[in-house]
Amino acid sequence: GKHFCSGGDLKDMTDAIEPTVPGEPDALYEVNRRFGDLLTAVNNAPQAVISVVQGAARGGGFGLVCAADIVIAQRDSTYAMPETGFGLPGAQIIPFVTKRLGSHYARRLVVTGDVVTGNEMHRAGLISHLCNNQDHAETTLHAVLDQIRGRSPTAIAQSKALIAKVSSTPLSLLLDEGGQ
């Protein structure tokens, strides 16, 4: 299609979910939490994860982009977190957007609902390869895949696991683990 992911239909989602009944599961919570589990699986995948973005990446789609290792995107792609405009927090994507872009950037997107361009996301560090059109993005994808094929899958998985621990593990323990 023309868009990476325009996000879920938040208005329909909030309108369709019945108010919670005491003692029964909250359907909106269950749907959101399952999506959070999906983002976590993508983020923690031992394989290289590449997002190729054209058009809009909204809400959950933006979260998926932030969970990728490499982002190849068209210059005219756009990104936003529209959830607060529907009275919902972007709860499941906020950790991924914040880790990738930093808290100030995430706060700006949450409180304003700004739609930002591929150019801005490239400057912010989200997009690693900024492309002029779909053909350029496809050529870039094949070049990146060729680079990845020249690497050890085991070493990639081990390296990604170490990177994930950097902010939560003392340096001496990381160095011990990396030396094994």
Side-chain angles (χ1 to χ4, degrees), residues 1-39:
K2 295 179 182 180
H3 299 284
F4 177 78
C5 178
S6 58
D9 189 333
L10 298 175
K11 181 165 179 9
D12 279 355
M13 195 182 306
T14 57
D15 289 348
I17 301 296
E18 298 294 325
T20 57
V21 175
E24 293 195 16
D26 180 339
L28 182 57
Y29 169 83
E30 295 296 327
V31 167
N32 280 331
R33 190 63 181 93
R34 280 197 311 269
F35 187 69
D37 291 342
L38 170 71
L39 289 173

Side-chain angles (χ1 to χ4, degrees), residues 70-73 128-131 134-147:
I70 298 168
V71 178
I72 300 167
S128 49
H129 300 81
L130 190 61
C131 302
Q134 188 171 356
D135 290 339
H136 185 199
E138 190 164 325
T139 300
T140 301
L141 172 62
H142 290 293
V144 169
L145 289 171
D146 286 343
Q147 287 179 299

Side-chain angles (χ1 to χ4, degrees), residues 69-174:
D69 299 314
I70 298 168
V71 178
I72 300 167
Q74 292 182 31
R75 191 173 302 280
D76 62 355
S77 58
T78 59
Y79 307 79
M81 297 173 66
E83 293 86 352
T84 56
F86 294 96
L88 299 170
Q92 300 302 309
I93 68 170
I94 285 173
F96 302 95
V97 174
T98 301
K99 280 185 176 185
R100 190 67 180 258
L101 297 173
S103 62
H104 272 92
Y105 211 105
R107 285 179 181 197
R108 173 188 149 205
L109 296 177
V110 165
V111 302
T112 65
D114 278 352
V115 176
V116 295
T117 66
N119 283 328
E120 184 173 340
M121 286 289 103
H122 184 254
R123 287 190 305 274
L126 176 64
I127 297 172
S128 49
H129 300 81
L130 190 61
C131 302
N132 292 323
N133 55 47
Q134 188 171 356
D135 290 339
H136 185 199
E138 190 164 325
T139 300
T140 301
L141 172 62
H142 290 293
V144 169
L145 289 171
D146 286 343
Q147 287 179 299
I148 293 169
R149 283 186 196 102
R151 306 284 163 231
S152 160
T154 301
I156 288 173
Q158 291 169 335
S159 297
K160 285 180 66 172
L162 283 170
I163 290 167
K165 294 178 182 179
V166 166
S167 63
S168 63
T169 305
L171 179 59
S172 62
L173 294 177
L174 282 176

